[in-house]
Amino acid sequence: MLTATRYPVVTADEAAAMINHGDTIGFSGFTPAGAAKEIPTAIARRAKVEHEAGREFKIGVITGASTGDSLDGELARANAVLFRTPYQSNKYLRSAINHGETRFFDMHLSMLPEATRYGSLGKISFAVIEASAVSEGGEITLSTSVGASNTFCNVADRIFVELNEYHSSELKGLHDIYEPKDPPHRREIPVYRCNDRIGSTTLKVDPKKIIGIVKTNRPDEVGGFKETDAITQKIGENVSSFLANEIERGRIPKSFLPIQSGVGNIANAVLGALGKNPSIPPFEMYSEVIQDSVIDLMRSGKLTFGSATSLTLTPAMLEAVYNDLPFFKERILLRPQEISNHPEVVRRLGIISINTAIEVDIWGNVNSTHVMGQNLMNGIGGSGDFTRNAYISIFTCPSTAKGGAISTIVPLVAHLDHSEHSVQVIVTDQGVADLRCKDPVERAREIVDKCSHPDYRDQLSAYFENAKNGHTPQTLGSAFAMHQAFMEKKDMRGVAW
Ligand code: 0RQ
């Protein structure tokens, strides 16, 4: 490992001792991949001691997206998070947010770095960045994600590096670090193909800003995936046959288009199904996350290139990649999230976006973030960056949740993340609703007939078929009756309008 000697080697507790109550910290990490691990855990230890002594101790936490338990989980359990942005997925942090103990504001992931640079998020006191190597001259080779680490290091005066020996020492060349210029006269981001390299292989910082190196040897805290079940498999098959049919009809080029796919079990199943469909040619990804299924597709030759901002792999899969690194370095590029998710590039490349909804209404609006319109689940993540700008934007979800007691198709979403103007295709285990060029009533029929669960189909049709109120026949007095039924009797079935 390239370990420069000029920097002070400190323990995580020594680093945490330099951080004050009220400081805002930019931590590396996009999903648990490449997330800082040692220092946040030490800050949580410090917070507990301070709280026991009757002193306030909370920090502002900014990251790329979600992180691992040793960051979000440890800090939330220590009640040490003043505010948090953007996307998170930790159950302890989620609980603190929903109980009003931690302020959380959501952001499109592509916009976080710019907001950080221009000071909208206040002063960033420290950057805490995981790296696989650091040189005497301040060249940092990141690990399994880029996220917003480049921006955090640029804006912070003081940088701690967690030098993680778990990662391969050969990662240089996997990353492409580039930051856009200032507006208003900035030029285009010169990514014209998924594999275009536009920046540098290392993150270059003023070496004087690196005030401590914490050595560690720990894997990313990436959990395993649930086995594909009948529902997720059906969703995957529905997406892949829809796209194959679009090629057949000439609405997608025969050479196909780059794919963006969200994270989680459904995304895994969708990618698996794309891989198995013989009518879909070998393709590329321009996405934010590379997860286990992507690696399998690369090995089989079905996926020829993957551009993303994180390598979110289970430890066994990451080890397999490290054992075959020359093969994967030719096929993977990790960019800052500002570039991987940039609307300009998404539109230019003609990306097919595939993200997950919590619920969808019959008009095509999507809620990806709030349960019953109230409790935050995870956040919008990159779904807005891609959906609004994609060539074809797809949302997937199972047709029901909580054992059938919740219909994910509802008269009106209880929280809006993606509007009917940006959402083009809905896919559930029941089928595919193509909303393009349909008016609101045609969309409602398409979504209810093709995507809703049979238990809810008549109920949902009855909501709009007899209404005569306007272009979008919404009935304001009963639009949330299904949500209210669930909150009162834990079941959305049997609502009469
Ligand atoms: O809860 O496990 O307690 O039953 O939500 O749902 O079906 O396991 O699916 O893990 O893929 O998560 C939208 C949250 C889906 C996620 C969301 C309950 C359900 C379950 C999880 P239980 P599943 P997933 C990528 C880009 C953000 C937008 C995006 C997400 C739990 O995919 O955060 O795609 N997306 N961003 O039971 C009540 C409903 C429900 C419901 C599901 N209608 N009402 N509960 N659940 N639907 C991210 C990045 O950019 C990094």
Side-chain angles (χ1 to χ4, degrees), residues 149-186:
S149 295
N150 50 314
T151 305
F152 297 149
C153 285
N154 284 346
V155 298
D157 298 332
R158 292 166 289 180
I159 301 169
F160 286 115
V161 174
E162 288 194 8
L163 199 56
N164 192 344
E165 290 185 1
Y166 181 87
H167 295 295
S168 163
S169 56
E170 305 294 320
L171 292 190
K172 190 169 176 181
L174 187 67
H175 313 94
D176 187 47
I177 312 295
Y178 175 95
E179 251 180 275
K181 302 279 180 286
D182 291 344
H185 302 298
R186 56 186 168 199

Side-chain angles (χ1 to χ4, degrees), residues 116-117 226 243 328 363 412 455 496:
T116 306
R117 265 198 309 279
K226 285 187 215 156
L243 292 174
F328 287 104
W363 320 109
L412 183 62
D455 285 357

Side-chain angles (χ1 to χ4, degrees), residues 35-50:
K37 302 168 180 65
E38 299 292 348
I39 297 176
T41 301
I43 297 171
R45 275 196 295 273
R46 163 125 191 255
K48 285 184 198 155
V49 172
E50 296 289 326

Side-chain angles (χ1 to χ4, degrees), residues 141-375:
T141 304
L142 294 169
S143 60
T144 38
S145 68
V146 180
S149 295
N150 50 314
T151 305
F152 297 149
C153 285
N154 284 346
V155 298
D157 298 332
R158 292 166 289 180
I159 301 169
F160 286 115
V161 174
E162 288 194 8
L163 199 56
N164 192 344
E165 290 185 1
Y166 181 87
H167 295 295
S168 163
S169 56
E170 305 294 320
L171 292 190
K172 190 169 176 181
L174 187 67
H175 313 94
D176 187 47
I177 312 295
Y178 175 95
E179 251 180 275
K181 302 279 180 286
D182 291 344
H185 302 298
R186 56 186 168 199
R187 302 292 303 270
E188 81 272 25
I189 293 164
V191 173
Y192 309 109
R193 290 169 176 269
C194 292
N195 60 355
D196 277 344
R197 224 174 221 298
I198 61 172
S200 57
T201 53
T202 57
L203 165 53
K204 294 177 182 145
V205 302
D206 176 352
K208 289 197 283 298
K209 294 209 295 186
I210 300 179
I211 58 168
I213 302 248
V214 173
K215 291 194 178 178
T216 184
N217 188 337
R218 283 174 61 179
D220 289 329
E221 294 152 341
V222 179
F225 292 97
K226 285 187 215 156
E227 282 295 310
T228 303
D229 61 17
I231 302 277
T232 50
Q233 187 172 336
K234 193 73 193 132
I235 293 172
E237 286 165 7
N238 287 343
V239 171
S240 85
S241 41
F242 166 78
L243 292 174
N245 193 38
E246 287 295 294
I247 299 177
E248 180 71 30
R249 292 181 174 204
R251 292 193 291 232
I252 293 179
K254 290 223 173 311
S255 54
F256 209 44
L257 290 169
I259 293 283
Q260 175 264 334
S261 151
V263 288
N265 301 315
I266 296 179
N268 230 25
V270 168
L271 286 171
L274 290 180
K276 286 190 199 117
N277 192 322
S279 306
I280 294 185
F283 62 94
E284 295 178 321
M285 287 186 82
Y286 195 86
S287 196
E288 48 190 7
V289 176
I290 288 177
Q291 51 184 28
D292 283 17
S293 51
V294 174
I295 300 302
D296 295 331
L297 289 178
M298 271 180 184
R299 281 227 173 85
S300 72
K302 185 83 177 189
L303 187 73
T304 52
F305 196 84
S307 164
T309 192
S310 78
L311 205 47
T312 306
L313 304 179
T314 53
M317 189 60 96
L318 185 62
E319 203 182 315
V321 166
Y322 284 170
N323 287 338
D324 201 3
L325 204 50
F327 174 88
F328 287 104
K329 269 167 98 172
E330 278 178 17
R331 289 165 179 79
I332 293 175
L333 205 53
L334 299 184
R335 308 177 187 276
Q337 69 196 65
E338 189 168 13
I339 308 301
S340 64
N341 289 30
H342 203 291
E344 172 195 326
V345 182
V346 173
R347 181 68 67 89
R348 177 181 302 130
L349 297 182
I351 284 167
I352 298 167
S353 72
I354 309 168
N355 293 289
T356 316
I358 283 178
E359 62 180 6
V360 180
D361 70 29
I362 56 175
W363 320 109
N365 300 296
V366 166
N367 168 10
S368 278
T369 58
H370 284 76
V371 171
M372 297 297 137
Q374 297 169 339
N375 283 329

Side-chain angles (χ1 to χ4, degrees), residues 404-430:
I406 290 178
S407 170
T408 56
I409 310 295
V410 290
L412 183 62
V413 285
H415 177 96
L416 177 68
D417 294 297
H418 311 285
S419 89
E420 49 159 319
H421 307 292
S422 307
V423 177
Q424 294 173 331
V425 180
I426 308 291
V427 180
T428 68
D429 46 301
Q430 302 295 322

